[in-house]
C-alpha cells in the first residue's frame, strides 16, 4: 500500500492534478480557487471520516491534515482496504477476503485508470455524449437527462475484471500493473441497453465494431492524445447485458468509476467498459483507437514459450475472459481447530459462459471434492460457491479452488500460457489454513 508519502508526493508534483485525481476538484491553478462539490466532497468526507461543514472555504491544493498527519497508509477516497498499486495513474486492487460480498460495494471495487480522470462535472444531467461513426445512420448527441428520459431502464449485476488481473505471477515478468487477484468485482449497475441507444442513431449494414471515448486526459497532459479508446464487435454490443450505466448499487457512479456515465460490456476485459463516456462510435472496421492495436489487450494467436517476443501481427484481440474463481472466506492464513469442518466460500465466473462446476482440494491438487455452485443473479454476474472442508490432522494446509465452465474448460492449477503483456491469468486461487490440535 502506498505509504503516507504517497499523498505528499502526489501533491508536490502537481497540486492541481492531485486535487483532480483524488476528489474530482477542478482548481484554478492561478487563484487556487475551486470548490468541492457533489461526489468529490463526498469522497473527501469519506476519506477524513466526517462531513466537512466549512468545505466551501477549503483552498484548492490543500491536503486535509487528517490525511497529511496520519500514520495510516494513504487510502483512496471512498475506498476501504484496497491495495494501491500505482498513484499516477491510480490503480488499486481488493484483497480476496474483502470481496466476500455477493454484490461488490463501491468501496471494494478495484480502480484501473489509464490516464487522469476528468473533474467532477458541475451539472451531470447536462453531460453530453455523441453517437457517431462511419456506420451510424444519423449522428446524434444525447445528454444524461435525455438518456434517462427516453430509454427503458435496466438493472443488472455484472462482473468486470481487468484483462491483466493476475499478471504479477507470470515469469518472466511482464510489463504493466502488477495485479495479484483483486482486479475483479461484481456490482449491480443501472442504465440503458447499449443496443437501444445504437438503434436510436441507426446501425448501417456494414457495422463491425462499437467503440467508446471518454473524458479522461492522457498522462502527458496532451489533449490531442487519448489514454484509452476501446470497443467490442457489434454482436457483443447488441447483447441484452451490454449497457450504458449511470448508477452502481443504486447510487450515482463514483467519479473513479466513470461518473456520470460509462459503457459496460461484462465478461470481457474491463478495458472495453469505457468510463466518463463522451462518444460512442459505430465503426465499419475493427476499432483502431488507443490500446486496441500493437500488443495491448492482445495475446499470441498461437501459444508461445515464456519470454518469447511476438510480432504485432501474430497477436489477437482478447474477447471473453476465461473461467476463474476466488476464495473470499476465510482469509488466507486463518487458524482452525482440528475436529470440526471449515466452511469456505467464494465466487466464480467465466466470461461469456457460466460456471458449471467447482471443486476444492486440500492436498495440493492430488484429489478434488465437489463444492456447491449457485446460479448467477443474471447472465454475466459471478456465481457464489461454498464447501465444507475436513482436515485429517493438525498441520499446514492449503485450500485450492478450481472452477469449470459450461464448455468444460477448467482453470489451470498453476499458470495458463505465458504471453508478452501478462493477460488472462486464471490460475486457481489458494489460501493457507493452519489446523491446530
Ligand atoms: N475512459 C476510460 N475508461 C476506462 C479506463 C480508462 O482508463 N479510461 N480503464 C479501463 C480499464 S483497463 C479497466 S480494467 C476498467 C476499470 O474499471 P474500474 O476502475 O471502474 O474498476 O475501466 C476501463 N475503462
Ligand atoms: Mo484493465
Amino acid at each position: 500500500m502506498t505509504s503516507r508519502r504517497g499523498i505528499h508526493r502526489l501533491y508536490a508534483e502537481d497540486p492541481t492534478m492531485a486535487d483532480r485525481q483524488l476528489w474530482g476538484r477542478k482548481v484554478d491553478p492561478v487563484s487556487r480557487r475551486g470548490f468541492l462539490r457533489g461526489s468529490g466532497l463526498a469522497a473527501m468526507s469519506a476519506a477524513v471520516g466526517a462531513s466537512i461543514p466549512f468545505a466551501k472555504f477549503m483552498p484548492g491544493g490543500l491536503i486535509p491534515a487528517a490525511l497529511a498527519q496520519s500514520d495510516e497508509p494513504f487510502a483512496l477516497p471512498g475506498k476501504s482496504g484496497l491495495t494501491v498499486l500505482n498513484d499516477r495513474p491510480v490503480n488499486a486492487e481488493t484483497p480476496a477476503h474483502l470481496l466476500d460480498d455477493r454484490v461488490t460495494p463501491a468501496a471494494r471495487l478495484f480502480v484501473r485508470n489509464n490516464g487522469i480522470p476528468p473533474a467532477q462535472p458541475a451539472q451531470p444531467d447536462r453531460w453530453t455524449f455523441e453517437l457517431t461513426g462511419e456506420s451510424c445512420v444519423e449522428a446524434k448527441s444525447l445528454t444524461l437527462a435525455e438518456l434517462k428520459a427516453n430509454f427503458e431502464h435496466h438493472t443488472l449485476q455484472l462482473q468486470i475484471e481487468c484483462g491483466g488481473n493476475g499478471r504479477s505471477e507470470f515469469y518472466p515478468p511482464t510489463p504493466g500493473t502488477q495485479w495479484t487477484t483483486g482486479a475483479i468485482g461484481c456490482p449491480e449497475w443501472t442504465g440503458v441497453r447499449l443496443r437501444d441507444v445504437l438503434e436510436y442513431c441507426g446501425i448501417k449494414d456494414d457495422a463491425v465494431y462499437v467503440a467508446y471515448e471518454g473524458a479522461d486526459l492522457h498522462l502527458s497532459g496532451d489533449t490531442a492524445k487519448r489514454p484509452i479508446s476501446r470497443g467490442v464487435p457489434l454482436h457483443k454490443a447488441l447483447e441484452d447485458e451490454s449497457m450504458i450505466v449511470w448508477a452502481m448499487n443504486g447510487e450515482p457512479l463514483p467519479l473513479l468509476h466513470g461518473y456520470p456515465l460509462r459503457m459496460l460490456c461484462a465478461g470481457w476485459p474491463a478495458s472495453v467498459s469505457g468510463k466518463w463516456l463522451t462518444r460512442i462510435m459505430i465503426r465499419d472496421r475493427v476499432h483502431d483507437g488507443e490500446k486496441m492495436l500493437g500488443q495491448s489487450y492482445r495475446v499470441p494467436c498461437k501459444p508461445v514459450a515464456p519470454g518469447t517476443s511476438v510480432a504485432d501481427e501474430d497477436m489477437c484481440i482478447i474477447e471473453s475472459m476465461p473461467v476463474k474463481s476466488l476464495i473470499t472466506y476465510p482469509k488466507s492464513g486463518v487458524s482452525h481447530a482440528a475436529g470440526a469442518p471449515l466452511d469456505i466460500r467464494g465466487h466464480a465466473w467465466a466470461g461469456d459462459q457460466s460456471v458449471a462446476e467447482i471443486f476444492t482440494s486440500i492436498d495440493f491438487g492430488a484429489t478434488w471434492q465437489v463444492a456447491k455452485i449457485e446460479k448467477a443473479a443474471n447472465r454475466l454476474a459471478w456465481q457464489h460457491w461454498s464447501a465444507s472442508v475436513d482436515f485429517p490432522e493438525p498441520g499446514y494446509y492449503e485450500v485450492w479452488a478450481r472452477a469449470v465452465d459450461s464448455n468444460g474448460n477448467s482453470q489451470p492449477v498453476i499458470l495458463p500460457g505465458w504471453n508478452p503483456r501478462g493477460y488472462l491469468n486464471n490460475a486457481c486461487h489458494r489460501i493457507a489454513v493452519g489446523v491446530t490440535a
Side-chain angles (χ1 to χ4, degrees), residues 334-340 342 390-397 433-437:
V334 68
S335 152
H336 176 72
L342 173 67
D390 284 301
F391 301 95
E393 59 183 283
Y396 174 84
Y397 292 86
V433 177
V435 177
T436 56

Side-chain angles (χ1 to χ4, degrees), residues 267-289:
W268 287 38
S271 54
V272 302
S273 294
K275 305 193 276 190
W276 313 291
L277 197 64
T278 53
R279 184 171 288 156
I280 297 234
M281 294 160 289
I282 311 182
R283 305 291 320 262
D284 66 356
R285 64 201 75 182
V286 175
H287 183 53
D288 49 5

Side-chain angles (χ1 to χ4, degrees), residues 91 110-114 161-165 167 179 183 228 230 269-272 297 423:
N91 291 309
F110 77 100
V111 179
R112 167 45 167 151
N113 290 340
N114 288 264
E161 179 178 20
C162 181
N165 196 22
R167 175 179 290 131
W179 303 106
I228 189 166
R230 304 198 69 244
S271 54
V272 302
Y297 301 102
Y423 296 118

Side-chain angles (χ1 to χ4, degrees), residues 348-363:
W349 59 98
D352 281 339
Q353 310 302 318
S354 60
V355 176
E357 295 176 286
I358 184 152
F359 303 91
T360 60
S361 175
I362 57 161
D363 52 14

Side-chain angles (χ1 to χ4, degrees), residues 96-344:
H97 69 284
L98 296 182
L99 283 171
D100 194 42
D101 296 271
R102 286 173 168 252
V103 179
T104 309
R108 298 273 159 83
L109 183 63
F110 77 100
V111 179
R112 167 45 167 151
N113 290 340
N114 288 264
I116 296 158
Q120 173 85 22
Q123 290 172 307
D125 280 350
R126 291 202 197 160
W127 181 271
T128 305
F129 75 97
E130 287 173 52
L131 280 163
T132 165
E134 306 88 357
S135 301
C136 160
V137 176
E138 194 187 339
K140 297 256 166 76
S141 83
L142 274 172
T143 63
L144 176 54
E146 288 166 339
L147 190 72
K148 286 181 177 172
N150 298 329
F151 298 89
E152 202 178 294
H153 295 192
H154 296 271
T155 295
L156 289 174
Q157 198 191 339
L158 298 167
Q159 51 95 356
I160 54 170
E161 179 178 20
C162 181
N165 196 22
R167 175 179 290 131
S168 65
E169 286 188 41
F170 280 112
Y171 192 83
T174 54
T177 302
Q178 297 299 303
W179 303 106
T180 66
T181 59
I184 169 75
C186 194
E188 188 186 76
W189 311 87
T190 299
V192 299
R193 279 198 179 125
L194 182 55
R195 183 176 68 219
D196 292 347
V197 175
L198 298 177
E199 280 167 359
Y200 172 67
C201 80
I203 307 168
K204 287 191 193 163
D205 287 345
D206 62 356
V208 169
Y209 234 77
V210 174
Y212 70 82
E213 278 181 7
D216 45 343
L217 187 68
H218 192 268
L219 283 179
S220 64
D222 182 346
T223 50
K225 291 188 185 160
R226 304 219 155 265
I228 189 166
S229 166
R230 304 198 69 244
V232 295
L234 184 66
H235 69 83
K236 177 69 181 172
L238 295 180
E239 282 184 354
D240 284 354
E241 297 80 11
S242 293
M243 302 178 78
I244 299 177
V245 301
W246 55 77
M248 190 168 107
N249 301 333
E251 301 283 336
L253 287 175
L255 185 66
L256 283 171
H257 297 295
Y259 180 88
L261 212 52
R262 88 179 289 174
M263 189 165 125
L264 207 89
C265 293
W268 287 38
S271 54
V272 302
S273 294
K275 305 193 276 190
W276 313 291
L277 197 64
T278 53
R279 184 171 288 156
I280 297 234
M281 294 160 289
I282 311 182
R283 305 291 320 262
D284 66 356
R285 64 201 75 182
V286 175
H287 183 53
D288 49 5
E290 190 61 31
K291 305 211 170 168
M292 283 299 303
L293 304 170
Q295 311 250 317
S296 297
Y297 301 102
R298 288 176 182 245
V299 291
C301 305
K302 296 194 180 108
V304 299
T308 308
S309 67
V310 182
D312 289 354
E313 59 268 27
D314 297 327
M315 299 283 276
C316 287
I317 300 173
I318 299 169
E319 300 205 326
S320 173
M321 293 291 286
V323 60
K324 199 163 171 180
S325 59
L326 270 184
I327 303 166
T328 59
Y329 181 88
K331 184 181 174 180
S332 187
V334 68
S335 152
H336 176 72
L342 173 67
D343 288 332
I344 63 172

